[in-house]
Amino acid sequence: MNTSGTWRRRGAWLVAAVAMATAVTGCRDAGSGGETPGAKPPRPATPAKPSPGAPKKPGGGPAKALTCGQLRNAELQNSSLDLPDGPDGGITLTDGRWEGDGVVIELQPPCGIGDVTGDPAADAVGAIKVTTGGTGKFYGLVTWRNEGGTPVPAAAASLGDRTPVESINVPATPARRATVVYLTRGDSEPAAVVTIRRTAVFRVTEPTMVEVSHTDAAYTP
């Protein structure tokens, strides 16, 4: 028997089988794009959700801060807010003034801008003087909420008769606070004089502004 010829034929078959298996494996790899069998495709990125922000103005975007100038022609009293010393009915200022039924309301120069209603939009706090037919001149505070860049009356407080406001400041912290400096007097003193410079802190709790603390210093005209 010629065994050497037999082994040579078997060796040739083995080489051919190995070559064929290598070619088939290469074709599979090429068709799969080189990915590992069983591997999961990468998960698509989840779009980020928009975070809550300031109230939006018409057309989109955050509302701009109110300005003191806007208050000169702003609504002052409506069905949601009654001024403590004001007449009945709706009231809108015109160039800082309103007059009707023998009552005159005038916007005063002190004004503060900042968030006092609990949202990121900057509101406004201003002072008014209400004059009636007698000698009384009643001063008060008004908070205007920022609704899309429009001042809307939201809260108010009365400071009393002949108690002019000197300044209003709305600090960043604590939230929903306004610091007001105004002139007043002791409980037993006549309304015609002012003897105290009061620095009071008010908190806005719609529809009122509540005094939470104050400090007094002697005042001489």
Side-chain angles (χ1 to χ4, degrees), residues 17-94:
V18 171
M20 182 177 294
T22 301
V24 171
T25 301
C27 291
R28 289 178 178 173
D29 290 344
S32 64
E35 296 179 358
T36 303
K40 295 182 179 180
R43 295 177 62 183
T46 303
K49 295 182 179 181
S51 58
K56 304 298 183 182
K57 66 180 179 180
K64 293 182 179 179
L66 297 183
T67 67
C68 295
Q70 286 179 281
L71 305 184
R72 296 186 59 79
N73 295 287
E75 186 179 38
L76 185 60
Q77 179 172 275
N78 55 26
S79 59
S80 299
L81 178 67
D82 286 325
L83 299 176
D85 301 312
D88 295 333
I91 297 174
T92 299
L93 296 171
T94 301

Side-chain angles (χ1 to χ4, degrees), residues 45-176:
T46 303
K49 295 182 179 181
S51 58
K56 304 298 183 182
K57 66 180 179 180
K64 293 182 179 179
L66 297 183
T67 67
C68 295
Q70 286 179 281
L71 305 184
R72 296 186 59 79
N73 295 287
E75 186 179 38
L76 185 60
Q77 179 172 275
N78 55 26
S79 59
S80 299
L81 178 67
D82 286 325
L83 299 176
D85 301 312
D88 295 333
I91 297 174
T92 299
L93 296 171
T94 301
D95 198 21
R97 180 184 171 92
W98 179 90
E99 185 173 0
D101 298 327
V103 178
V104 176
I105 301 178
E106 297 169 286
L107 184 70
Q108 301 299 289
C111 171
I113 302 296
D115 175 31
V116 288
T117 60
D119 57 46
D123 311 299
V125 178
I128 59 172
K129 181 175 70 173
V130 181
T131 304
T132 59
T135 59
K137 299 182 189 308
F138 298 92
Y139 287 82
L141 303 173
V142 178
T143 291
W144 282 269
R145 186 193 313 110
N146 187 339
E147 290 194 1
T150 299
V152 176
S158 175
L159 298 179
D161 184 15
R162 285 168 275 190
T163 53
V165 179
E166 293 190 329
S167 67
I168 299 174
N169 179 47
V170 180
T173 56
R176 306 183 74 169

